[in-house]
Amino acid sequence: MARPFAGRRAPRGVMAVLLTALAVGAAASTASAQQPLDQAYTADIRRYTTEPFFLTPLVDHLPASETVPTPRDVLGHIVGAADVLSYPEEIYDYMRAVDAASDRVKVFSIGRTEEGREMILVVVADEQTIADLDRYKEMLARLADPRVTSEAEAARIIEQAKPIYYATGAIHAPETGSPEMLMELVYRLAVEESEHIRAIRDNLIFMATPIVEVDGRAKVVDLHMAHHKDPDTNVPTRPLYWGKYVAHDNNRDGMGLALKLTQNVLNVFLEYHPTVLHDLHESASYLYTSTGRGPYNAWIDPIVINEWSRLAYKEVQDMTAFGVPGIYTHDYYDGWAPNYLFWIANMRNAIGRFYETQGSRNASNYIVRTNVDREWHRPNTPLPEVVWSIRNNVNLQQSALLIAMREVADNRREYLRNFYRKSVRAVAKATTEGPAAYVMPADDPRPGQQARMLSLLQRQGIEVQRATAAFTADGREFPAGSYVIRMDQPYSRAADMLLDKQYYNPSDPQPYDDTGWTFGPLFNVETVRIEDTSVLDVPMAPVEGLVRAPGAVRNADGARVFLIDYNADNTLASFRFHDPKLRIDAAEPPFTHEGRSYRAGTFIVRGGGDVAESLESAAETFGFTAYGSATAPDVPTHPVATPRIAVMHTWQSTQSEGWVRIALDEYGIPYDYISVHDVRDDPDLGDKYDVIIFGPSSSNALSIVRGITGSEPIPWKPSELTPNIGRQDRTDDMRGGLELTGVLHLQRFVEQGGTLLTLTSSASLPIHFGLAPGVRIRETGNLWAPGGVFRVERTAEGSPLAYGYDDELGVYFDSGPVFALGGGGFGRGFRGRRGGGAVAAEGSTTAHLSGRGGVGDEDIVQARPRDMGQAGVEAFRAANENERDQNGDGGAADVRTIFRFSRDVGSLLISGGLDHGAELAGAPALVDVRLGSGHVVMFSFNPMWRAGTLGSYALVFNALLHHGNLDAGTEVAAAVTTAAGAR
């Protein structure tokens, strides 16, 4: 518990700081002094604050109210009390109690999480604004679309409208302070009559979603409060799971929109059009307010970046004047990738920002030791040591938010004018900086993938149109029915940002996250960037509802067989699993039948009228065309399976494998979710499963085998103290890993005919322990390939793993592992992302500075005409010579390379960053290793990443559908020795 604040002797120098703080906050203090205070609550604020310099005049008190309950009235303690964290239900109860007591507060339900918990929105403003909230929403909606709002009308609206400041808390569940703080902030905004608060309440609408990751919050409070209630409990202090699927990466879903939390917050944004979306995080000492330090995202309007700085500088200035140490901006965040929650705003002409406040952890006090180096961006450094409390966290977050909100309230017309101006410039984008549009041709060979990508863009709020006649643009002819995304729409920058190519220069600072994300290649869909503004005159009509792939059955009369061309549309896997009793065979080679060409893997469905009727319903649901015929094609086939599938996880981390479960669940593919302990304890895995998928885990095979260590059992299961954990999986003891016994069980499983799939780092396990003979992991000491889109080439024409794919594919790769054939075992390992400042070397793709476009494309500054002033420096192409293949296509006879990374270093990178690419060029990207009667299939790249790589999902689905026939398309040199014979 913190030492009492009152009566404590201030350290040397602190008194001067306090005098400065009191001078700066005199207006707030004087106004608050005129209003009765809740003396007990105010005393506890000071009691739980560990140092006077972690208080400001904005939050060093709490006003009293005869009608509105304080947090203490509902919770039994103040916000920021030591050793106490609130469950979501308690926070919601408090917010609704304030709603019931105050005409200045409204609470709305905005959706449910994957585990069924509610998410809420709290709105605070003056009484008149709350009563007329729909009118204020409508005004902001009109400012958001200048196509329906003239400059003159916008000027009139701006005089009446109010900006919305939207704060979101606890998207990262172990960051515990913001949900607590937001309760007190809502009370303060509703009750306090100081000049500072009145200025905010009268000129601004405050909104808050106090908990974004509600499922994770429930688990975290379980674990932390269990230790407070029973110090001897042996439950873990770190939550293995947050939400149903992902943990920390739930804040990287802004592009894929796979998680309910992202969808719900986006829906709020699209309904209210807030001026600012502010995401509250915890980590840094003592408060970092984001501006980024570049290279900034090349697609957003420069006005946004200026607004980042303006707000951050105001917070740093005022908090520093209050005498608070360790307040700073710039630093580690780069402002590049648009996948974070707050980028919902940046992508849509608003302001997205975040804080990192010193962490609250389990609400107990602790000593903070931190970096005190003074740098250009951090002149007011943290202290070498200080006692920290959750109340300190509440004070700093709340104070800085009140400063930012006052800045927006005082300058509301200017911020609203900027919002409208950014929207105007976004609509003008088609004829200023370009492009004019993106076109998705109507004859794309994968209409299912095309529909999935376009429907995602629609969910992002991006308008999609469809050409009603054939047309020509940029010298290319497009058929009628082609989809057009015009750049003369309010969210044109979001569309361009997602569909364009990205380039991150290796000489820039270390990237904070992924560097490339181009949707077209990652969805295996053709997207054509059109510069010709005449495309805007093409006859087209808006698409009503979400885009769906067409489906039909042709030539059904008299048909005895139906052919479904296999094009790697993910919905074909859904169709197969939807009706497992339906007999479906796969054609092993490509063929022509009755004048129509079909790919390898084509589904051949035998049967008459009953089958035709079933297919008609399925075709519409899953978006495919089936062609009936009286005769079957004369081609070798094998059955398309519906295997028994397990997804295996460790007890160390479930972070990245959750994206695999999302992919399987989206497409209705059933699986059992098992742990390494299940594999360790079951010698007969083949009795239950045909395929085991091991998602990304650890590049250290011994760590997978060893698992968690400790002297006492560590349970992960529901109990009286922890009712919210154990939803996804549970165990009495998380300790231990796969162990050598489990490795032997996996070996037996594969040798007896099973298929083991490993994604990225998990390949370390079969390679290290000899389950993938002939494949090794190469040392790549210089390779720099951080999270981007890379080109792979198909090398095994007949492999079922490649069914439906063309000769090239764009895949997501993040620095390793890099496979090589021949030899065996495990190299020294692959490198992760290294720092920036790299010097371009041979094999580098260094071209222009970080910005839009690929290696050889022109970067374009947003929101100004292409011909404005000097055209810019022409980008130059990297050397296009073939590099010596260091990775090899050779290897054991039982190793088959299905895809390899492009041999040409110059064309290897599609989007992102790359240096020393010769270490990756030509390396096997997807390999199939025969072991006994089964197969080990290993991905160097990640085919299922953040719901944004749907073009490579079918590589995994192919392994499932053809698990027992992966040798198809190749001649087996020698009879495969059965596992039983080997034993």
Side-chain angles (χ1 to χ4, degrees):
M1 183 173 293
R3 293 171 295 163
F5 179 88
R8 193 183 341 154
R9 182 178 180 182
R12 181 175 298 178
V14 166
M15 196 57 69
V17 168
L18 287 175
L19 290 173
T20 302
L22 290 172
V24 174
S29 296
T30 300
S32 63
Q34 297 171 354
Q35 180 179 14
L37 298 183
D38 185 321
Q39 296 294 344
Y41 198 111
T42 298
D44 272 355
I45 289 175
R46 303 187 177 201
R47 173 188 174 200
Y48 290 116
T49 300
T50 64
E51 295 289 352
F53 44 77
F54 289 137
L55 264 180
T56 76
L58 298 175
V59 299
D60 64 359
H61 62 280
L62 196 77
S65 172
E66 295 181 357
T67 57
V68 180
T70 69
R72 184 205 292 274
D73 294 332
V74 174
L75 303 175
H77 56 82
I78 76 160
V79 162
D83 302 329
V84 180
L85 293 173
S86 305
Y87 279 101
E89 298 82 2
E90 296 174 302
I91 294 170
Y92 294 176
D93 285 347
Y94 177 72
M95 295 300 194
R96 288 194 162 104
V98 178
D99 177 354
S102 173
D103 292 336
R104 296 170 174 174
V105 179
K106 291 293 290 182
V107 175
F108 301 93
S109 182
I110 62 172
R112 295 277 170 177
T113 68
E114 285 81 0
E115 292 185 2
R117 294 182 176 87
E118 184 185 23
M119 291 179 64
I120 68 169
L121 176 71
V122 186
V123 185
V124 188
D126 63 49
E127 296 90 331
Q128 174 271 325
T129 303
I130 290 294
D132 210 5
L133 187 60
D134 286 342
R135 186 171 72 90
Y136 284 95
K137 286 165 54 176
E138 175 61 24
M139 285 190 281
L140 293 180
R142 294 193 67 81
L143 292 180
D145 191 350
R147 297 171 302 179
V148 299
T149 309
S150 67
E151 292 272 0
E153 184 182 1
R156 290 192 296 271
I157 291 173
I158 288 168
E159 288 300 312
Q160 305 172 53
K162 295 184 179 183
I164 292 178
Y165 201 109
Y166 182 21
T168 55
I171 188 172
H172 284 163
E175 298 168 9
T176 53
S178 55
E180 311 286 342
M181 179 276 295
L182 287 167
M183 287 189 285
E184 185 173 292
L185 179 58
V186 165
Y187 175 86
R188 190 180 302 279
L189 290 172
V191 168
E192 186 164 315
E193 297 298 337
S194 69
E195 187 270 339
H196 189 100
I197 298 299
R198 285 202 314 272
I200 293 172
R201 192 169 55 230
D202 293 346
N203 294 283
L204 177 146
I205 300 168
F206 176 69
M207 302 197 316
T209 294
I211 313 168
V212 175
E213 177 53 276
V214 190
D215 296 335
R217 173 74 180 191
K219 296 178 179 69
V220 164
V221 176
D222 266 3
L223 299 179
H224 288 332
M225 294 308 294
H227 285 279
H228 289 316
K229 295 172 183 176
D230 180 4
D232 295 327
T233 186
N234 60 347
V235 300
T237 58
R238 176 184 65 87
L240 178 68
Y241 296 89
W242 297 6
K244 178 178 179 179
Y245 293 111
V246 294
H248 186 274
D249 265 14
N250 64 3
N251 194 34
R252 308 297 194 275
D253 185 46
M255 292 188 284
L257 305 183
L259 303 176
K260 294 296 184 182
L261 60 85
T262 319
Q263 297 166 18
N264 293 338
V265 173
L266 174 59
N267 289 339
V268 169
F269 186 94
L270 294 176
E271 178 181 356
Y272 286 86
H273 302 94
T275 318
V276 181
L277 173 57
H278 194 147
D279 203 17
L280 301 172
H281 287 263
E282 298 179 11
S283 70
S285 297
Y286 299 116
L287 187 145
Y288 166 72
T289 174
S290 65
T291 50
R293 48 94 178 114
Y296 292 126
N297 183 286
W299 292 264
I300 59 173
D301 194 307
I303 292 175
V304 177
I305 297 170
N306 296 334
E307 290 170 322
W308 290 351
S309 296
R310 176 174 177 174
L311 285 165
Y313 292 164
K314 177 64 174 173
E315 291 157 338
V316 172
Q317 169 188 292
D318 286 9
M319 292 290 284
T320 301
F322 282 146
V324 183
I327 310 296
Y328 64 106
T329 186
H330 297 295
D331 202 19
Y332 61 92
Y333 172 65
D334 54 19
W336 176 258
N339 50 4
Y340 308 100
L341 188 76
F342 65 92
W343 271 83
I344 287 174
N346 292 325
M347 294 170 73
R348 296 167 181 83
N349 306 316
I351 306 166
R353 51 199 317 259
F354 71 95
Y355 288 159
E356 296 282 359
T357 311
Q358 182 67 48
S360 300
R361 299 187 182 179
N362 66 350
S364 295
N365 291 5
Y366 65 100
I367 294 177
V368 173
R369 299 179 179 87
T370 189
N371 175 21
V372 296
D373 292 341
R374 187 164 60 246
E375 302 179 64
W376 69 269
H377 62 272
R378 188 165 60 168
N380 179 23
T381 66
L383 306 174
E385 285 188 332
V386 72
V387 176
W388 188 258
S389 69
I390 187 173
R391 183 65 216 187
N392 296 351
N393 174 287
V394 167
N395 292 341
L396 267 58
Q397 286 193 71
Q398 190 175 179
S399 297
L401 270 175
L402 288 170
I403 291 167
M405 284 193 283
R406 178 67 185 271
E407 158 69 17
V408 175
D410 285 351
N411 300 281
R412 65 179 181 84
R413 294 178 182 84
E414 184 174 354
Y415 281 97
L416 290 174
R417 195 175 299 115
N418 275 352
F419 177 59
Y420 178 72
R421 182 178 293 116
K422 287 179 288 187
S423 300
V424 169
R425 285 153 64 124
V427 172
K429 177 177 171 62
T431 54
T432 53
E433 71 268 27
Y438 283 88
V439 175
M440 277 55 71
D443 55 0
D444 191 294
R446 296 174 185 85
Q449 296 300 99
Q450 184 186 72
R452 177 61 172 80
M453 186 190 78
L454 287 169
S455 64
L456 173 57
L457 294 173
Q458 289 177 297
R459 289 163 57 211
Q460 291 275 6
I462 296 165
E463 298 169 2
V464 178
Q465 307 225 14
R466 199 165 193 187
T468 56
F471 65 95
T472 300
D474 282 353
R476 175 168 171 176
E477 295 183 359
F478 295 95
S482 293
Y483 293 96
V484 182
I485 296 180
R486 304 170 61 104
M487 290 295 105
D488 56 354
Q489 61 172 293
Y491 297 159
S492 64
R493 299 197 188 285
D496 196 22
M497 196 181 298
L498 298 174
L499 295 171
D500 201 358
K501 294 179 181 178
Q502 300 80 43
Y503 179 73
Y504 198 103
N505 193 295
S507 296
D508 276 328
Q510 178 181 357
Y512 190 65
D513 201 76
D514 288 342
T515 59
W517 51 82
T518 308
F519 269 22
L522 289 179
F523 279 74
N524 202 13
V525 171
E526 184 179 15
T527 60
V528 184
R529 194 174 194 268
I530 302 296
E531 298 282 356
D532 183 359
T533 57
S534 69
V535 72
L536 302 174
D537 298 323
V538 169
M540 63 183 76
V543 175
E544 302 295 336
L546 296 181
V547 175
R548 290 172 52 89
V553 176
R554 310 291 187 198
N555 308 324
D557 290 345
R560 304 301 301 168
V561 65
F562 296 87
L563 307 180
I564 304 170
D565 186 27
Y566 189 78
N567 58 0
D569 269 351
N570 294 329
T571 50
L572 292 177
S574 299
F575 162 61
R576 166 69 282 196
F577 280 93
H578 175 71
D579 191 355
K581 294 182 180 179
L582 185 66
R583 179 186 171 186
I584 303 178
D585 294 320
E588 294 184 349
F591 64 94
T592 300
H593 186 69
E594 297 180 347
R596 186 177 299 277
S597 297
Y598 295 91
R599 296 175 179 84
T602 287
F603 286 1
I604 301 174
V605 186
R606 306 176 195 275
D610 291 345
V611 170
E613 186 176 339
S614 175
L615 284 179
E616 285 179 1
S617 174
E620 183 179 352
T621 299
F622 299 106
F624 62 79
T625 301
Y627 294 92
S629 175
T631 61
D634 184 18
V635 291
T637 65
H638 63 256
V640 180
T642 54
R644 303 164 301 167
I645 305 164
V647 174
M648 181 175 72
H649 71 86
T650 71
W651 290 104
Q652 296 152 292
S653 173
T654 62
Q655 171 58 53
S656 296
E657 56 84 16
W659 300 109
V660 178
R661 291 187 282 124
I662 285 175
L664 297 176
D665 286 348
E666 176 179 350
Y667 287 99
I669 296 176
Y671 60 91
D672 286 347
Y673 189 48
I674 65 174
S675 78
V676 289
H677 291 175
D678 295 312
V679 174
R680 174 197 66 192
D681 298 338
D682 188 349
D684 297 311
L685 295 166
D687 291 346
K688 297 184 181 70
Y689 306 114
D690 303 303
V691 181
I692 296 176
I693 303 173
F694 191 16
S697 59
S698 173
S699 59
N700 185 334
L702 294 179
S703 174
I704 298 169
V705 168
R706 190 163 42 240
I708 296 174
T709 59
S711 58
E712 296 291 334
I714 307 173
W716 183 267
K717 62 181 182 180
S719 69
E720 184 176 351
L721 288 175
T722 59
N724 293 294
I725 68 172
R727 299 288 183 97
Q728 285 68 49
D729 200 359
R730 60 184 65 183
T731 181
D732 291 328
D733 191 358
M734 297 166 63
R735 294 177 304 160
L738 182 64
E739 300 183 10
L740 292 177
T741 303
V743 175
L744 293 175
H745 292 167
L746 282 176
Q747 180 178 353
R748 175 188 175 96
F749 166 75
V750 175
E751 288 179 341
Q752 291 182 336
T755 300
L756 172 65
L757 269 68
T758 66
L759 277 53
T760 66
S761 55
S762 293
S764 64
L765 181 74
I767 289 176
H768 183 95
F769 288 102
L771 275 62
V775 183
R776 57 191 172 87
I777 294 177
R778 290 187 61 248
E779 176 186 342
T780 53
N782 295 309
L783 176 66
W784 184 76
V789 189
F790 293 82
R791 193 181 316 277
V792 297
E793 304 164 343
R794 188 175 59 176
T795 59
E797 293 290 335
S799 170
L801 292 172
Y803 282 170
Y805 283 94
D806 299 329
D807 291 337
E808 292 185 346
L809 177 67
V811 301
Y812 173 85
F813 177 77
D814 185 12
S815 292
V818 176
F819 297 149
L821 305 185
F826 200 79
R828 201 172 65 182
F830 55 90
R831 64 180 300 143
R833 301 174 182 183
R834 59 172 167 77
V839 178
E842 182 181 2
S844 168
T845 56
T846 303
H848 54 71
L849 296 177
S850 297
R852 74 142 301 273
V855 174
D857 295 330
E858 177 189 4
D859 189 18
I860 297 172
V861 176
Q862 298 297 294
R864 74 185 190 198
R866 296 283 292 276
D867 58 355
M868 182 178 178
Q870 187 178 355
V873 179
E874 289 292 327
F876 61 90
R877 290 188 181 277
N880 221 14
E881 60 190 86
N882 290 330
E883 299 290 338
R884 180 173 61 88
D885 183 7
Q886 303 179 47
N887 303 300
D889 288 330
D894 290 340
V895 179
R896 198 175 183 188
T897 299
I898 313 302
F899 280 91
R900 70 180 173 209
F901 289 97
S902 174
R903 290 176 179 266
D904 177 11
V905 177
S907 63
L908 176 58
L909 178 69
I910 296 175
S911 284
L914 177 64
D915 200 12
H916 293 277
E919 294 190 348
L920 181 63
L926 170 59
V927 296
D928 175 15
V929 182
R930 192 187 311 111
L931 182 68
S933 297
H935 290 257
V936 177
V937 177
M938 299 184 295
F939 289 82
S940 174
F941 58 92
N942 195 333
M944 292 176 165
W945 179 240
R946 293 177 176 169
T949 61
L950 279 81
S952 52
Y953 280 14
L955 295 171
V956 175
F957 297 161
N958 284 347
L960 304 179
L961 300 178
H962 308 285
H963 70 93
N965 295 277
L966 294 181
D967 287 325
T970 185
E971 301 221 348
V972 180
V976 177
T977 304
T978 64
R983 289 194 304 274

